[in-house]
Amino acid sequence: MTGSRSSLLQDLLAAMPHLRPQMYFKSSLVALSHDIEDQVLSEQGSPVVFASFQKERYYQQEAHRYERIARVARQVFVLAVPETRFALGTTPYERIALDHGDPLAQEWHVIAVDPSYSLCLIAREKPTSQRPDHARQFEGIWSFDRRIALQAASLLIPKIIAYRPDLELPLSQLQSQWQLGTGPGAVDPSPFTERLITYIQVGQYKLQRAYQALERRESQERLLNEITRCLHSNADLMANLQTALQLLGSRLGCSRCLFYSYQPDRETLPIQGEYTLPDCPSLLGRPWPVKNHPWIQAVVTTRQMQYCADTRSDAQPHLWQPWQIGAWIGIPIVFQERLLGILEIHSSSPTAHWGQWQEFLQRLAAHLALALMQAEAYQQLQDLNQQLAALDQAKSDLIAVTGHELRTPLSTIQVCLESLAADPEMPAAVRQEMLDTALQDAERLRRLVQDFLTLSRLESGRVEWHEEPQFLVECVELAISNIRARRRRQPIPTIDLKIAPNLPLVKTDGEWLVEVLSKLIDNACKFTPASGQVQISVAPLPPTEVELVISDTGRGIDPERIPLIFERFTQAEGSLRRTVGGTGLGLAICREVIATMGGRIWAESAGLNQGSRFHVVIPIEKGANGHQEQGDATNGHPGKSLTG
């Protein structure tokens, strides 16, 4: 097999040194090969054809063509490196399976020898780095010269015989007939030239399209980078988004480009960002229907881009006509299967061509989703910072209030006890006064600790509630009794109780309700002088609630501080300017208890020194038929005033 282990091109150049190989790209070789094959298929003569396709996969592209050639040619020999089934089966032409290491496996040959004409294409692929198929390069000889074609065929025959010894006799006969041929023959080169020109034009067209695609891709990349920089330029996402929509809309040439955040429980959503042409009606800020819009719902359910190329053919023209929408694209903004928003692009003309932008819009949607998530994370971080600041302030208030509230009674208790210990002969009346003062401040300390524990239990949900039907006025009376007992040594303002007739039962935990009312009435008494008045009114609030209002003529509340007084460690005067004792936990406890009962509590005041009103609303017992008759809480005397 020594004859088969050399390059046919090298052998031909050695046998005919005057030949100079030319450079060809694969497209040129395809054109030349097809022209030689077309010459054979034109049924001019009865040629012998040799073809080498390098590997079997290239041969498979021409297999049917060579079956046709075999029907008109005298004899056909096809060479290729087998990859699957090349060496198997019966065909109307002879197949020669090459070894992978044979130099012929790197060559491309088509030789046609007829008594009236001879054509040959002998080419070898240049050993280069990996290239696209259309850019593969070959060097070789293409000729109409009969001597060159016969020489190439004579050099190829021994290589075929080395693989197929059974073909030696017919191939030898062919060679002897060529020697007795009738002359060089002639072939008109015009078809070859025309095909080459066609292939060159096709190649130039493909190259032009490739350059256009690259230019378009580069332009889209620049736009995407510009929009991405815009989205992350500062913390104001909506302003960044508006600028991004302006860039996108002007580049796409659309009539409108808009964005809105998605909320699954809303039938309409406000347009948050928009680009429009001057003659296109604006939708910014309008409620945009999403529940009843089938195209938008398709975006929501599939999480895929939806495209309506011509809205005139849609079955629901009322969705498009009022807003001058001829073509429409809806792009979902999705992050980890969560739909954050929708980007819509409108064109007033149904002839808009956006197919080349679909991949770009999908990539843009990914960047928008990332920007929205970053903005959401930034907002959450801001909220956390505010909560941390509030916690830090609460800690400072706790330290300030607790220090003040603990130091004052402890100092009093210490002074009283030191006085009692230092003067055993102290008069009995003074001794008793000292003991009463110490006990009073000890009780103040106990209430302080109790308020801390109570609020902690409420906020952690460790309270066991015992709700049952209650007469609200009985709870009010118990709270007033607690205040009178607690302040028995202090003058308190007049307490006026007004009860509406036929009050329904309320469903509540009586013990906790008494605690709340005690704190509210105690506050009213604490901030109202003894000459003032505290009024407690109870009345039904149809259809399912009862309202209790505690009004006083005392110090009042600055309207700016009303939203804060139910927060922990907050008093109407402020933590560090208080003139009346207290931790600022009482109203926070009241809010937690009433909210747990399903009720409401709020405060009102016209301003400082104009009194205040605290409203407590509690739900009634469902299905209860018991009523509290007028006068129950005052022993038959509705509206009775109670003084200290």
Side-chain angles (χ1 to χ4, degrees):
M1 293 183 63
T2 57
S4 65
R5 295 301 185 181
S6 61
S7 163
L8 179 59
L9 178 62
Q10 292 177 350
D11 292 346
L12 180 61
L13 294 176
M16 307 183 77
H18 65 281
L19 297 178
R20 294 291 180 267
Q22 301 294 321
M23 184 66 65
Y24 300 96
F25 286 100
K26 182 187 174 184
S27 58
S28 302
L29 291 184
V30 171
L32 294 172
S33 298
H34 283 180
D35 268 324
I36 295 174
E37 293 160 1
D38 289 344
Q39 179 72 20
V40 175
L41 290 171
S42 67
E43 300 185 6
Q44 296 182 13
S46 180
V48 178
V49 179
F50 300 89
S52 176
F53 289 102
Q54 296 181 304
K55 297 182 181 179
E56 180 185 352
R57 58 178 175 271
Y58 304 131
Y59 148 77
Q60 293 293 348
Q61 299 172 9
E62 303 290 338
H64 293 294
R65 188 176 180 87
Y66 271 80
E67 289 178 1
R68 292 168 52 205
I69 291 173
R71 288 196 291 267
V72 299
R74 179 179 178 183
Q75 201 159 2
V76 179
F77 302 89
V78 176
L79 298 82
V81 174
E83 293 175 301
T84 54
R85 59 183 185 276
F86 176 77
L88 303 178
T90 303
T91 58
Y93 47 84
E94 300 293 345
R95 293 191 297 192
I96 296 89
L98 302 175
D99 292 336
H100 284 271
D102 194 324
L104 287 175
Q106 303 300 322
E107 297 186 332
W108 182 312
H109 312 313
V110 180
I111 305 171
V113 179
D114 184 79
S116 61
Y117 66 87
S118 298
L119 302 168
C120 72
L121 173 63
I122 311 298
R124 177 178 177 82
E125 186 167 5
K126 296 191 67 175
T128 57
S129 58
Q130 189 69 26
R131 291 183 177 182
D133 191 59
H134 67 276
R136 292 163 58 199
Q137 294 182 1
F138 294 76
E139 63 176 353
I141 303 296
W142 167 56
S143 177
F144 303 99
D145 191 322
R146 184 177 184 82
R147 292 171 300 171
I148 298 176
L150 290 176
Q151 182 67 52
S154 298
L155 292 171
L156 182 59
I157 285 174
K159 301 179 185 294
I160 295 175
I161 294 174
Y163 282 100
R164 293 282 304 274
D166 57 303
L167 299 177
E168 182 175 3
L169 179 59
L171 287 171
S172 299
Q173 293 175 350
L174 287 174
Q175 280 187 294
S176 63
Q177 293 172 2
W178 290 338
Q179 299 297 332
L180 300 174
T182 58
V187 176
D188 183 7
S190 298
F192 295 90
T193 305
E194 292 174 0
R195 185 176 288 272
L196 276 179
I197 292 174
T198 301
Y199 267 82
I200 290 172
Q201 290 175 337
V202 170
Q204 289 176 339
Y205 175 71
K206 291 181 178 179
L207 189 61
Q208 183 181 12
R209 290 188 59 185
Y211 284 146
Q212 290 174 348
L214 288 174
E215 184 179 355
R216 183 171 59 251
R217 182 67 179 233
E218 183 182 4
S219 175
Q220 291 179 355
E221 288 293 337
R222 287 198 301 268
L223 177 61
L224 185 61
N225 291 337
E226 190 173 359
I227 291 176
T228 303
R229 286 195 301 270
C230 175
L231 290 173
H232 301 286
S233 60
N234 57 61
D236 189 351
L237 177 63
M238 287 299 104
N240 296 343
L241 186 61
Q242 184 64 37
T243 305
L245 292 176
Q246 296 286 338
L247 292 171
L248 177 63
S250 59
R251 181 65 180 84
L252 285 178
C254 60
S255 58
R256 184 187 295 113
C257 189
L258 55 86
F259 169 83
Y260 49 90
S261 297
Y262 178 70
Q263 301 176 34
D265 56 340
R266 297 278 299 275
E267 292 189 359
T268 62
L269 295 172
I271 305 301
Q272 298 169 286
E274 180 190 55
Y275 159 83
T276 57
L277 291 177
D279 58 346
C280 186
S282 175
L283 301 176
L284 189 62
R286 286 180 177 269
W288 193 237
V290 293
K291 285 289 185 183
N292 299 323
H293 199 300
W295 287 90
I296 298 177
Q297 282 303 300
V299 175
V300 172
T301 54
T302 64
R303 299 293 199 272
Q304 299 291 328
M305 182 187 304
Q306 300 296 322
Y307 179 37
C308 181
D310 188 350
T311 60
R312 294 175 302 182
S313 61
D314 190 66
Q316 303 184 60
H318 65 278
L319 298 173
W320 318 103
Q321 291 176 355
W323 315 116
Q324 301 178 14
I325 303 175
W328 177 90
I329 296 180
I331 305 102
I333 312 301
V334 181
F335 184 83
Q336 295 182 352
E337 299 185 358
R338 174 189 168 194
L339 182 60
L340 304 177
I342 297 177
L343 175 68
E344 290 189 23
I345 300 173
H346 303 168
S347 173
S348 58
S349 170
T351 58
H353 299 288
W354 291 326
Q356 63 187 13
W357 288 93
Q358 290 190 17
E359 181 184 355
F360 170 84
L361 292 174
Q362 290 173 345
R363 296 174 61 199
L364 175 61
H367 284 277
L368 283 174
L370 182 60
L372 290 172
M373 290 305 301
Q374 287 179 339
E376 183 178 306
Y378 179 79
Q379 184 59 48
Q380 291 176 353
L381 182 60
Q382 292 290 94
D383 294 341
L384 287 174
N385 287 337
Q386 292 178 0
Q387 293 176 16
L388 289 174
L391 288 174
D392 188 64
Q393 183 62 41
K395 180 192 70 174
S396 300
D397 291 345
L398 172 63
I399 295 172
V401 172
T402 305
H404 174 76
E405 292 298 320
L406 289 175
R407 184 176 63 252
T408 301
L410 282 174
S411 298
T412 303
I413 293 171
Q414 182 179 7
V415 168
C416 291
L417 293 178
E418 287 176 351
S419 299
L420 289 171
D423 188 3
E425 304 299 329
M426 183 180 296
V430 177
R431 180 184 296 272
Q432 186 61 46
E433 183 69 23
M434 291 287 185
L435 289 173
D436 289 344
T437 301
L439 289 173
Q440 183 178 354
D441 280 355
E443 175 64 17
R444 181 177 171 184
L445 283 176
R446 186 195 67 78
R447 289 201 306 272
L448 172 65
V449 174
Q450 184 62 37
D451 281 349
F452 276 113
L453 295 176
T454 298
L455 185 60
S456 175
R457 290 171 57 204
L458 287 169
E459 291 184 341
S460 62
R462 292 184 287 109
V463 175
E464 294 184 5
W465 299 92
H466 304 284
E467 293 187 347
E468 57 185 358
Q470 297 281 346
F471 288 115
L472 181 57
V473 178
E474 291 182 357
C475 296
V476 175
E477 188 178 43
L478 285 174
I480 294 174
S481 298
N482 289 343
I483 298 303
R484 293 177 64 187
R486 188 182 303 169
R487 294 180 173 271
R488 62 182 180 274
R489 295 182 177 276
Q490 301 174 8
I492 62 174
T494 300
I495 301 178
D496 185 16
L497 186 60
K498 293 185 177 181
I499 308 297
N502 300 323
L503 286 176
L505 296 172
V506 295
K507 185 176 182 179
T508 183
D509 187 313
E511 182 178 350
W512 279 104
L513 182 59
V514 170
E515 179 71 16
V516 168
L517 297 178
S518 297
K519 290 183 180 297
L520 294 175
I521 297 171
D522 185 59
N523 273 354
C525 294
K526 182 164 53 175
F527 291 101
T528 302
S531 59
Q533 185 181 34
V534 175
Q535 185 180 83
I536 304 173
S537 61
V538 184
L541 191 64
T544 60
E545 296 172 317
V546 174
E547 183 179 30
L548 182 145
V549 181
I550 301 174
S551 305
D552 63 65
T553 59
R555 184 174 301 176
I557 307 171
D558 184 348
E560 294 182 356
R561 295 194 62 82
I562 288 179
L564 305 175
I565 61 174
F566 289 96
E567 300 296 329
R568 293 175 295 178
F569 313 118
T570 302
Q571 288 190 338
E573 296 177 299
S575 301
L576 302 178
R577 297 183 291 106
R578 58 185 69 207
T579 58
V580 179
T583 61
L585 296 176
L587 292 180
I589 293 173
C590 294
R591 180 185 63 181
E592 293 289 335
V593 173
I594 295 300
T596 304
M597 293 178 180
R600 293 168 287 146
I601 183 171
W602 70 93
E604 297 174 344
S605 178
L608 296 177
N609 300 318
Q610 299 187 55
S612 59
R613 294 178 303 283
F614 283 81
H615 298 256
V616 178
V617 175
I618 303 174
I620 65 173
E621 168 69 7
K622 293 182 180 179
N625 54 14
H627 293 81
Q628 184 164 348
E629 298 299 331
Q630 180 177 352
D632 283 353
T634 55
N635 299 320
H637 300 286
K640 179 178 179 180
S641 297
L642 306 175
T643 59

